[in-house]
Amino acid sequence: MPLGSDKPGSSEEDKLSDSSESRNRADTAERALGIRQRTPSPHQGNAPQSSPRFVSVEELMETAKGVSNMALAHEIVVSGGFQLKPSDPAEGSLEKRVQDIVHKAFWDCLEVQLGEDPPTYDHAIKLLGEIKETLLSFLLPGHSRLRNQINEVVDLDLIKQEAENGALDINKVVEFIIGMMGTLCAPARDEEIRKLRDITAIVPLFKAIFSVLDLMKIDMANFAVSSIRPHLMQQSVEYERTKFQEFIEKQHNALDFTQRWLEEAANSLVNSRADATLAPAGAAASGGPAFCPLTVHNHAYMSLLRWNHRHTPFPETLLMDQSRFEEMQMALEQLTVVAAVLLIAYNVAGAALSGLPGFADKLKGIVNALLAGMHIPSFNMNETLATIGEKLCVEVNSCLSQHGFTQLCADKVAVLKGQTQAVVKPDNSIRKLIDSRIQTFLMSYLDSSHHKSSPVVPGGLVPIQKELEEIAVKFSRLVNYNKMVFAPHYEKILKEILSKDGSHSMGKSAGQG
C-alpha cells in the first residue's frame, strides 16, 4: 500500500503499512495456511480419502481475513519492536512512475488554478477539507476546544463563500493548520513543522503539509499499537486459539504437517535411545521408560533449529514464526563456526592467550565480519575460512609478541590454518562438538525456562555466550507462547502418538513447559 505522501485523496488505510519484516511474516503465514487445502496429506497413504469439501468465495475470504488478523495480532504481541512504517513503491518501478505522473499532473493543475486571475480555489478547498478531516481524526473525545477551533477556522462553507467573493486569505488558513499540526504532533516532528513555516510558495507548502500529516498518522498508529499491546497480550492466547480453530474447521487436513513434525520428533528420540543402547529400536522403545509428551515436544521444537525450509513444509501451528526460527537457525550456524574457529585458535596458541582481556572479542569481531552474508548463495565458505585462518595467524602472532611470548612456529601456523579451513565440513569434529554443546545448552534453557536459574554455558561457548543467551531467551519465549496457544492440539496429537501401541503413559502435559 503506497504511502502517497504528496497525493491527496488517499484514505488513512492506504497510507499505512507495517514494517516490511512483520508484514512479510504475516503474508507468509496467510499464503502458507491458504495452500494447505491443495496439499496432499502426508498421512493418507493408501487410505480412502474423504470427499472434498467445497467452500464459497465468501468463506475463503472470511478465512483469509481471519488468518491475516491473527497474524497481525501475533506480530504485535511477539515483536516487541513492531511498528508501522510508511511504504513507497520501489524507485524505478512501474507503480512509482505512474504515481509520480499522476501526482505531478494533480499539483500542476492546482498551480494553474491558483495562478489564474482571479485564482480558482476548487482543488485547494478539497485539500483543505481533507486536511481538516485528518486533523479531527487526531483528536481524542475530550479535545472539544481544539475541535471547535478547527471547525471554526476551516469552515469549508465559509471558505467557499470567501473564495467566490474574492475575499479568501488562504495563507491565513494554512498558517492556522500548521500551528494546529504543531500542537498535535509528536515532539519528534517539531523539526518538520518548523520547516513548513519556511515554505512560502503555496503549492509546495500543500505538498509538504500532506507529507508531514502522513508521518503524524504513522506516529498516531504506532502510539495506538503500543497502547493496546499490554491488553492484547492478555487476550492474544485465546484470540489466536479461537481464530486458528475457525481456520482448521474450514481447512481439510489442517494439522497434517504439525502431526508429521511431532511424529518425527518421537521417532528421533526412539532411534537415539536405540543407538545409545546398541539395541534394536523396537526393543529400546519397549524396554525403556516411555517418553513423556514434554520431552517429545521440546525435542520437536529443537528440530526447528535444523529445519530444511526450502524442501520441508513447516508445522501449521508455527507458520507465523517460521521466519523467526529461520533467522535463529542462521544465527546459530554462524555462531557455531565462530566458536569453532576461536576454539582452534586458542588450542593452537596454548595458555599464553588465556585470560587476555578483550582479545577473544577482537578475534570474534574479525571472524563475524568475514562471515557476514554466509547464507547467501554466492558466499564462498572455503575462501572465507582460508582468509580467517590467515587473519587469525596474524592477530595471534601480534598478540603473542606484544605480551613477550614466542610467535607461532611454522608447524603451528599450518595447523591453525588447516584446522580452520576444515571447519567448512559439517561433519568436522570440532564443529560437531560446538554444535552439540549449543544444542545441549538450548535444550537445557528450554527445560529450565520456568526456573529462576539459567543453565551454565558449556566450555568452548564462552566467547559467544552473550549472543547465545539472547537467542536462547528469544527461542524460549517463542516456544512457551506457542505452547500456550496450541496446547489443546498438541496434547491431542501427542496422546495419539504416544499411545499407538497402548504401552506409553502420558507423563507431563505437552502444554506445560
Side-chain angles (χ1 to χ4, degrees):
M1 293 181 289
L3 178 63
S5 60
D6 60 349
K7 177 182 181 296
S10 300
S11 65
E12 181 172 350
E13 289 78 4
D14 292 332
K15 296 175 182 289
L16 295 180
S17 69
D18 53 13
S19 66
S20 58
E21 182 182 354
S22 299
R23 185 66 265 170
N24 288 341
R25 286 178 177 140
D27 291 345
T28 299
E30 185 173 342
R31 287 197 304 271
L33 287 171
I35 288 171
R36 292 295 183 255
Q37 65 180 14
R38 303 191 299 274
T39 307
S41 166
H43 312 291
Q44 286 176 353
N46 297 323
Q49 300 182 16
S50 59
S51 301
R53 175 178 178 267
F54 295 99
V55 296
S56 66
V57 173
E58 289 76 13
E59 286 180 296
L60 288 176
M61 293 296 291
E62 182 182 351
T63 301
K65 181 180 179 182
V67 171
S68 181
N69 289 342
M70 179 177 67
L72 184 57
H74 183 83
E75 287 300 319
I76 294 173
V77 171
V78 174
S79 300
F82 177 90
Q83 279 195 331
L84 300 168
K85 294 182 179 179
S87 175
D88 277 323
E91 197 65 38
S93 66
L94 176 61
E95 183 182 1
K96 176 65 173 175
R97 292 198 298 271
V98 171
Q99 183 188 76
D100 290 343
I101 292 171
V102 172
H103 290 184
K104 185 177 185 303
F106 177 87
W107 294 114
D108 286 349
C109 181
L110 177 63
E111 193 154 16
V112 169
Q113 283 193 348
L114 296 179
E116 294 176 355
D117 189 15
T120 303
Y121 291 104
D122 293 348
H123 280 7
I125 292 174
K126 290 179 181 178
L127 295 184
L128 291 175
E130 292 181 22
I131 293 171
K132 177 182 179 180
E133 289 180 7
T134 302
L135 292 176
L136 291 173
S137 71
F138 293 151
L139 302 181
L140 297 176
H143 290 161
S144 54
R145 183 179 62 83
L146 295 178
R147 182 174 288 102
N148 291 336
Q149 287 182 9
I150 294 172
N151 287 327
E152 180 180 342
V153 177
V154 195
D155 184 337
L156 296 183
D157 292 333
L158 179 59
I159 289 174
K160 287 178 184 177
Q161 292 179 14
E162 291 177 343
E164 292 170 356
N165 296 320
L168 176 60
D169 186 353
I170 195 167
N171 289 311
K172 182 179 179 181
V173 179
V174 171
E175 184 179 348
F176 167 81
I177 288 171
I178 294 174
M180 186 59 64
M181 290 170 64
T183 301
L184 298 175
C185 73
R189 302 301 172 200
D190 287 345
E191 180 62 21
E192 280 86 352
I193 298 297
R194 187 192 63 76
K195 291 178 180 178
L196 291 179
R197 301 185 190 278
D198 296 334
I199 302 174
T200 55
I202 191 65
V203 174
L205 182 55
F206 266 122
K207 285 185 183 180
I209 285 174
F210 273 98
S211 180
V212 176
L213 284 174
D214 286 336
L215 294 176
M216 291 173 63
K217 289 179 183 179
I218 298 290
D219 295 338
M220 184 64 69
N222 284 325
F223 174 75
V225 168
S226 63
S227 299
I228 67 171
R229 182 179 283 116
H231 307 287
L232 188 58
M233 288 194 69
Q234 298 174 8
Q235 308 294 330
S236 61
V237 170
E238 191 61 37
Y239 175 76
E240 286 191 41
R241 185 181 296 169
T242 301
K243 286 296 180 182
F244 191 81
Q245 183 62 38
E246 292 174 1
F247 164 74
I248 63 175
E249 288 174 357
K250 297 178 180 178
Q251 291 288 95
H252 184 57
N253 297 329
L255 289 172
D256 280 349
F257 297 122
T258 299
Q259 177 149 351
R260 178 198 285 180
W261 164 59
L262 294 174
E263 284 179 348
E264 289 178 351
N267 292 336
S268 175
L269 284 172
V270 170
N271 293 334
S272 296
R273 174 183 288 173
D275 293 340
T277 58
L278 298 178
S286 58
F291 292 111
C292 73
L294 179 62
T295 300
V296 177
H297 206 187
N298 283 349
H299 189 74
Y301 282 115
M302 291 298 299
S303 72
L304 299 176
L305 299 176
R306 299 175 180 270
W307 202 261
N308 186 336
H309 292 270
R310 180 173 296 181
H311 298 109
T312 308
F314 215 63
E316 296 90 345
T317 52
L318 286 146
L319 277 171
M320 289 186 293
D321 291 315
Q322 181 172 6
S323 61
R324 291 186 177 88
F325 281 100
E326 189 171 7
E327 288 168 5
M328 288 188 289
Q329 180 177 341
M330 291 190 292
L332 288 172
E333 288 171 357
Q334 181 165 329
L335 287 177
T336 301
V337 176
V338 171
V341 166
L342 294 184
L343 182 60
I344 291 169
Y346 273 82
N347 283 342
V348 172
L353 297 181
S354 300
L356 291 181
F359 186 63
D361 287 338
K362 181 179 181 181
L363 292 185
K364 182 174 70 173
I366 293 172
V367 176
N368 269 324
L370 291 171
L371 289 174
M374 66 175 282
H375 293 97
I376 62 177
S378 60
F379 188 85
N380 191 319
M381 182 60 85
N382 279 307
E383 291 183 1
T384 301
L385 287 173
T387 303
I388 289 174
E390 296 282 352
K391 291 280 188 182
L392 290 179
C393 288
V394 172
E395 293 296 332
V396 168
N397 278 331
S398 174
C399 184
L400 289 173
S401 297
Q402 289 176 8
H403 291 83
F405 297 104
T406 305
Q407 292 190 358
L408 299 178
C409 65
D411 288 344
K412 286 191 174 182
V413 168
V415 169
L416 176 52
K417 291 180 179 179
Q419 289 188 358
T420 299
Q421 283 192 272
V423 173
V424 71
K425 300 177 181 178
D427 61 347
N428 173 264
S429 58
I430 299 177
R431 183 170 178 171
K432 287 176 65 178
L433 174 66
I434 294 295
D435 179 69
S436 174
R437 289 180 178 178
I438 287 176
Q439 296 296 316
T440 300
F441 174 76
L442 292 174
M443 178 61 87
S444 299
Y445 204 97
L446 204 57
D447 290 338
S448 65
S449 59
H450 286 284
H451 304 293
K452 292 183 179 180
S453 59
S454 299
V456 178
V457 175
L461 304 185
V462 174
I464 60 169
Q465 178 174 350
K466 178 174 178 287
E467 296 86 348
L468 189 58
E469 287 180 342
E470 288 175 356
I471 293 176
V473 169
K474 183 177 180 181
F475 177 60
S476 179
R477 285 176 179 171
L478 280 177
V479 167
N480 290 329
Y481 183 80
N482 183 263
K483 284 181 179 180
M484 287 190 292
V485 174
F486 299 105
H489 301 294
Y490 291 143
E491 289 173 359
K492 180 180 178 182
I493 294 172
L494 287 168
K495 185 175 182 180
E496 293 174 358
I497 293 173
L498 298 178
S499 61
K500 279 183 179 179
D501 299 327
S503 58
H504 300 279
S505 60
M506 274 302 292
K508 190 176 180 181
S509 169
Q512 302 171 2

